Amino acid sequence: MPDYDPSGDPADILLVEDNPGDVRLTREAFRDGHIRNALHVVTDGVEALDFLRQRGDHADAPRPDVVLLDLNLPRKNGDEVLDEIRDDPELERLPVVVLTSSKAQEDVVESYELQANAYLTKPVDPSEFIETVQSIQEFWLCVVRLPPSEDS
């Protein structure tokens, strides 16, 4: 599987996920798929926005190339995070993939109304979950052409 970025630098992926099991499976998917892109993990919506805005403990955080966003988060839910990303001129072009356990049609509709780039439901089976994460990486970092970051 080719790596992202023609310069050879690995991509930065921000995973916003509060479930330790899903974080572990995502890390496993990266390891098993020999994905060398950097995976950064935050566990709630407030921390996600601090990471993206490079505030507080995340002052030196890189600007991610893609955000994988769970909807069911503590302190600030995924819809609120997505809404703030799209309202921020410095973040609005950032690709956001909703990766959640919710199959509710209203969550799908709301996510797309808030301009999510994709909505994926987490498979229950661990091996299918790993395949899903690997396909996200393949598509978003190998197939899709992303806009340059603001600081490029």
Side-chain angles (χ1 to χ4, degrees), residues 1-15 26 30 33-40 63-68 94-97 117 132-147:
M1 180 179 307
D3 287 312
Y4 170 76
D5 192 27
S7 70
D9 294 332
D12 287 295
I13 300 167
L14 177 61
L15 174 63
T26 303
F30 274 58
H34 305 288
I35 299 169
R36 69 182 186 96
N37 297 317
L39 181 66
H40 308 276
R63 180 61 48 89
D65 298 288
V66 175
V67 175
L68 304 180
L94 184 61
V96 178
V97 176
N117 296 91
T132 298
V133 170
Q134 290 173 341
S135 68
I136 291 169
Q137 190 275 343
E138 172 87 18
F139 182 74
W140 284 102
L141 299 174
C142 298
V143 176
V144 170
R145 184 162 179 178
L146 297 173

Side-chain angles (χ1 to χ4, degrees), residues 15-30:
L15 174 63
V16 187
E17 175 60 67
D18 66 322
N19 181 321
D22 289 347
V23 171
R24 182 184 50 75
L25 285 173
T26 303
R27 289 188 192 282
E28 191 175 312
F30 274 58

Side-chain angles (χ1 to χ4, degrees), residues 19-107:
N19 181 321
D22 289 347
V23 171
R24 182 184 50 75
L25 285 173
T26 303
R27 289 188 192 282
E28 191 175 312
F30 274 58
R31 186 191 68 236
D32 291 354
H34 305 288
I35 299 169
R36 69 182 186 96
N37 297 317
L39 181 66
H40 308 276
V41 179
V42 296
T43 57
D44 67 56
V46 172
E47 189 181 8
L49 291 167
D50 285 348
F51 187 100
L52 292 170
R53 292 179 174 143
Q54 299 169 318
R55 298 187 300 216
D57 291 342
H58 300 288
D60 294 327
R63 180 61 48 89
D65 298 288
V66 175
V67 175
L68 304 180
L69 178 66
D70 188 21
L71 291 181
N72 304 312
L73 298 167
R75 297 184 2 169
K76 191 173 286 238
N77 71 38
D79 287 339
E80 294 169 311
V81 172
L82 184 54
D83 191 39
E84 286 197 39
I85 290 171
R86 294 303 182 233
D87 282 344
D88 186 325
E90 291 187 26
L91 301 174
E92 66 185 359
R93 293 188 301 164
L94 184 61
V96 178
V97 176
V98 173
L99 181 62
T100 188
S101 57
S102 174
K103 294 181 182 180
Q105 192 62 34
E106 58 267 16
D107 287 340

